[in-house]
Amino acid sequence: MQCGYATLMNLNEKLQAEDGTEKADVTYFQRMVGGLNYLSHTRPDIAFSVSVLSRFMHSPTKHHLGAAKRVLRYVAGTVNFGIWYTTVSNFKLFGYTDSDWACSLDDRKSTSGYTFSLGSGAISWSSKKHDTIALSSSETEYIAATSAACQAVWLRRVLVDLG
């Protein structure tokens, strides 16, 4: 990578609403994160980072702005990344899911995500903060697995309908 960062976010850093830094320009931050959100439709590798940044849309700080700029630098350094579909004769639906436990320092809620591929590329992905607070890492994994299973059932039904 010529310019940018090898990772989207600093792995040892947890963003929170009140981080002790001064407030950033709300409109500028919202435009930046909105653009990243739009870009995440073809770049699933940034989906999680964009969802974390979106939590601070109403009251961003300079620290949040720095994290958003880090994602932009990552994107600038990985412009050749994206989803590429090639001709495949054997279509198999594969799904992957993962979650964290109480990663949000503000409300202790977990985030989970999944991705599904069919043939040569991803066809569905999601990264979402849970609605409830999990009491254990096992419960968090079950919530993530349930969400992914619902998506898998829906995708299989669509594939059956398509023949």
Side-chain angles (χ1 to χ4, degrees), residues 1 12 42 122 148:
M1 296 173 59
N12 298 320
T42 57

Side-chain angles (χ1 to χ4, degrees), residues 92-98 113-118 124 148 151-152 155:
K92 289 187 178 180
L93 181 64
F94 288 100
Y96 304 93
T97 184
D98 195 14
Y114 61 76
T115 183
F116 286 92
S117 63
L118 179 68
S124 175
Q151 182 69 8
L155 286 171

Side-chain angles (χ1 to χ4, degrees), residues 4-155:
Y5 289 101
T7 59
L8 283 159
M9 299 182 82
N10 184 351
L11 298 176
N12 298 320
E13 171 182 71
K14 302 287 186 194
L15 297 177
Q16 56 186 346
E18 298 298 325
D19 57 16
T21 61
E22 62 184 84
K23 299 295 181 190
D25 181 7
V26 175
T27 305
Y28 179 67
F29 184 80
Q30 289 174 344
R31 287 182 181 174
M32 186 182 304
V33 175
L36 288 170
N37 191 28
Y38 180 77
L39 183 61
S40 71
H41 293 293
T42 57
R43 294 285 303 263
D45 56 328
I46 67 171
F48 173 76
S49 300
V50 173
S51 72
V52 171
L53 292 171
S54 296
R55 297 174 189 169
F56 308 104
M57 293 289 269
H58 297 291
S59 184
T61 65
K62 298 286 184 179
H63 192 68
H64 302 138
L65 185 61
K69 287 180 178 180
R70 181 181 178 106
V71 174
L72 284 175
R73 285 190 288 271
Y74 170 83
V75 169
T78 59
V79 291
N80 293 328
F81 285 19
I83 301 174
W84 300 99
Y85 298 99
T86 59
T87 304
V88 177
S89 60
N90 186 11
F91 286 97
K92 289 187 178 180
L93 181 64
F94 288 100
Y96 304 93
T97 184
D98 195 14
S99 66
D100 64 5
W101 180 41
C103 187
S104 175
L105 297 177
D106 295 320
D107 59 10
R108 307 304 294 166
K109 290 184 180 177
S110 305
T111 302
S112 63
Y114 61 76
T115 183
F116 286 92
S117 63
L118 179 68
S120 65
I123 60 166
S124 175
W125 57 87
S126 173
S127 175
K128 185 178 181 220
K129 189 175 180 182
H130 295 182
D131 295 327
T132 59
I133 298 172
L135 300 178
S136 69
S137 60
S138 297
E139 184 180 357
T140 299
E141 295 294 340
Y142 282 123
I143 293 169
T146 301
S147 175
C150 290
Q151 182 69 8
V153 168
W154 183 81
L155 286 171

